[in-house]
Amino acid sequence: MLRSIPPTSYSYPHGQCRSVGVAGYLLGGGVNWLGTYNKYGYGAENILAMRTVLSDGRIADVTPEKTEVGIFF
């Protein structure tokens, strides 16, 4: 069953530039020109967890409580 969320009731901070990915948007603080950060805060303030690739190829799962680093791929 496909579930949808009504856009009239819920929203989330997001960017509007097609050439910038999520990482670039969040590295800039998560500010958009639509002004939703005035109401909902910056996008970077809403991150609960993140999975990232480190410079040596390992994958890290990061939360406010801990960082777990995996093996090389």
Side-chain angles (χ1 to χ4, degrees):
M1 178 179 184
L2 183 62
R3 197 174 133 187
S4 64
I5 299 174
T8 55
S9 301
Y10 298 94
S11 182
Y12 61 94
H14 58 83
Q16 71 278 358
C17 182
R18 294 181 189 197
S19 63
V20 177
V22 172
Y25 167 68
L26 294 174
L27 282 171
V31 178
N32 65 32
W33 297 110
L34 299 175
T36 57
Y37 68 92
N38 291 328
K39 185 174 182 180
Y40 301 110
Y42 296 106
E45 295 173 333
N46 293 287
I47 298 171
L48 301 177
M50 185 178 291
R51 176 170 282 171
T52 185
V53 179
L54 303 177
S55 61
D56 61 5
R58 295 180 295 162
I59 295 179
D61 290 320
V62 182
T63 65
E65 294 80 29
K66 63 182 175 180
T67 299
E68 293 180 1
V69 179
I71 59 173
F72 287 100
F73 285 96

